[in-house]
Structure formats: structure tokens, C-alpha cells
Amino acid sequence: DTSDIGLLFTLMNSDNTNEEIDLDEFISGCMRLRGAAKAVDMAKLTYMLTALSRRLSHFMARADRGLTTTGRGARDIVTYSG
């Protein structure tokens, strides 16, 4: 599917430091994604889950800092709601 080309590039760009894939990244990406379509699907899922986890961690850290500046930490909110 052509809509997955950007994601395929992202999955093959293992170091995520630039907008180019060198020969080693291309070969290792092909080896990692070889096999049935299930390998590509799993790599896509892993990438998306990692990105989501990173975003959630950043959000939680910002929320905790915000709650801490108000004098209430996240634990206080959880304890208070029960």
C-alpha cells in the first residue's frame, strides 16, 4: 500500500538521525522486515507503540510537574479520588 511508504522509511531508518537511509540501514531494515507481511505489521505495531509510549511518558511528566507546582502530586489526586 503506497500510504505506508513513509512508515516503511521510518522503520528502515533505524538511527532516526537524518532523512536518509544508508546502505547498512537499508540492508538491515530489509532483513528485519523479510518474510510474510506479518513481519511488517509487527514492526509497524512496535514502532507505533513505542511512539505512543514516549508521548504518554512526556505527557505524564508534564502533568506531574503541573500538579507539583499546584502543591498536589499525582499520588494525591489518585488517593483523593478514592
Side-chain angles (χ1 to χ4, degrees):
D1 186 6
T2 57
S3 65
D4 288 337
I5 290 175
L7 182 58
L8 179 62
F9 173 84
T10 301
L11 293 173
M12 295 184 93
N13 187 13
S14 58
D15 61 8
N16 291 323
T17 57
N18 55 32
E19 296 182 3
E20 296 179 354
I21 298 174
D22 62 24
L23 183 59
D24 289 334
E25 284 179 308
F26 180 78
I27 291 171
S28 67
C30 287
M31 295 300 290
R32 198 171 59 248
L33 298 174
R34 74 173 190 246
K38 291 179 182 179
V40 173
D41 294 335
M42 288 303 296
K44 181 179 179 180
L45 183 61
T46 300
Y47 173 79
M48 294 171 68
L49 184 58
T50 301
L52 181 61
S53 177
R54 201 173 305 128
R55 289 180 63 194
L56 181 59
S57 292
H58 288 279
F59 170 77
M60 290 172 62
R62 281 194 322 265
D64 196 45
R65 281 193 304 270
L67 290 170
T68 301
T69 59
T70 63
R72 297 180 71 190
R75 287 189 184 146
D76 296 331
I77 299 296
V78 172
T79 304
Y80 178 74
S81 66

